[in-house]
């Protein structure tokens, strides 16, 4: 059993567009609950970072656990941002 915790900095493009990662929100996670203000804040932050060529923008953490049996990553934290 591999109990090692690893942290890595990844680009948003790598997290969202790389076919290496297949994410699933486990059933035990709360349902999507962001409202228009949360969504607008995130989109505005991302747009500002992109327009200002901010390559070191921190979008927040994404905590995942590799589900080897099903070949995916279960999202433990960051599901609201990831879904948005």
């Amino acid at each position: 059993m591999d109990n090692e915790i690893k942290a890595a900095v990844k680009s948003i493009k790598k997290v969202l567009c790389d076919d290496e990662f297949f994410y699933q929100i486990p059933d035990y996670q709360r349902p999507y609950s962001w409202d228009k203000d949360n969504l607008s804040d995130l989109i505005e932050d991302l747009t500002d970072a992109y327009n200002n060529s901010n390559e070191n923008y921190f979008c927040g953490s994404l905590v995942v656990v590799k589900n080897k049996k099903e070949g995916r990553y279960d999202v433990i934290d960051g599901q609201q941002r990831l879904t948005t």
Side-chain angles (χ1 to χ4, degrees):
M1 183 177 210
D2 184 13
N3 291 328
E4 185 177 356
I5 296 174
K6 298 177 186 176
V9 175
K10 304 238 185 241
S11 70
I12 293 173
K13 181 179 180 181
K14 177 82 172 168
V15 170
L16 297 179
C17 299
D18 193 320
D19 63 2
E20 173 186 353
F21 301 104
F22 177 76
Y23 303 103
Q24 181 166 327
I25 311 296
D27 291 337
Y28 58 81
Q29 291 291 3
R30 67 185 171 112
Y32 186 80
S33 63
W34 274 20
D35 59 22
K36 289 180 182 178
D37 289 336
N38 299 116
L39 179 107
S40 295
D41 288 345
L42 178 62
I43 298 301
E44 186 176 318
D45 284 349
L46 291 172
T47 302
D48 287 347
Y50 178 79
N51 288 336
N52 295 318
S53 299
N54 184 354
E55 295 181 20
N56 295 317
Y57 174 76
F58 180 67
C59 186
S61 61
L62 178 62
V63 179
V64 296
V65 173
K66 188 165 188 174
N67 184 325
K68 293 178 184 178
K69 181 178 178 183
E70 298 185 27
R72 66 170 192 247
Y73 290 88
D74 289 340
V75 179
I76 306 303
D77 186 47
Q79 64 269 24
Q80 304 294 313
R81 287 184 311 276
L82 183 62
T83 300
T84 300

